[in-house]
Amino acid sequence: MNQSARRIGRTLALVLPVVLVLSGTLAVTRVNWSGGSQSVLTASSEDVSTPAKTRAPQEALRDRLLLELQEKNPGVALTTLQQEVDARPSLAKHCAWIARALGRAAVRQYGPSRAQSYARPVCDTAFATGVAHSV
């Protein structure tokens, strides 16, 4: 009986500090230290089992071209779109969708008549369609 009591004591001596540290850490992360009444999200409350969403190549290209349209002009963005589709033929099925998005963005930034002046035969007439549908 003496050895079993000693074994239980050793187990508690090892486990108890770990339990206390973990419970104290969790308690500290749950405290709203800012003093406000809003809830605070903590790292321990995140769902880590959900995988990060990856963006499709066509969405990344569209976002990059929309930024290029804002920084430069729609003509440059359309040229880049044509080059990307030529380099990666798998993007061809998304070309019209991207060109229409560029057309809508061009109308927002430049107005309908100026946006239409940048129209090119990239992806058929999708850019012009995007401009026309935004008016």
Side-chain angles (χ1 to χ4, degrees):
M1 180 101 176
N2 196 7
Q3 281 188 339
S4 65
R6 195 174 288 159
R7 193 175 308 139
I8 291 172
R10 284 185 196 154
T11 304
L12 284 175
L14 291 172
V15 173
L16 192 58
V18 173
V19 170
L20 290 174
V21 168
L22 288 176
S23 64
T25 302
L26 291 174
V28 168
T29 60
R30 299 259 178 212
V31 172
N32 184 354
W33 295 101
S34 66
S37 62
Q38 297 177 345
S39 65
V40 177
L41 293 176
T42 62
S44 62
S45 68
E46 292 180 14
D47 183 10
V48 295
S49 64
T50 306
K53 292 183 180 179
T54 57
R55 292 182 21 193
Q58 67 271 12
E59 292 173 351
L61 176 61
R62 181 204 57 207
D63 293 347
R64 186 167 52 98
L65 292 174
L66 288 171
L67 184 62
E68 189 172 56
L69 182 141
Q70 289 177 352
E71 292 176 348
K72 297 177 182 172
N73 66 56
V76 174
L78 286 170
T79 299
T80 303
L81 175 59
Q82 186 64 56
Q83 291 168 347
E84 290 290 329
V85 169
D86 290 344
R88 293 190 296 175
S90 63
L91 291 171
K93 61 184 171 186
H94 305 287
C95 187
W97 167 72
I98 295 170
R100 280 192 298 275
L102 291 173
R104 290 188 297 271
V107 168
R108 284 191 300 273
Q109 186 163 345
Y110 295 101
S113 61
R114 187 163 175 216
Q116 187 61 39
S117 71
Y118 289 102
R120 303 227 178 111
V122 176
C123 308
D124 208 11
T125 58
F127 179 82
T129 302
V131 170
H133 286 292
S134 293
V135 177

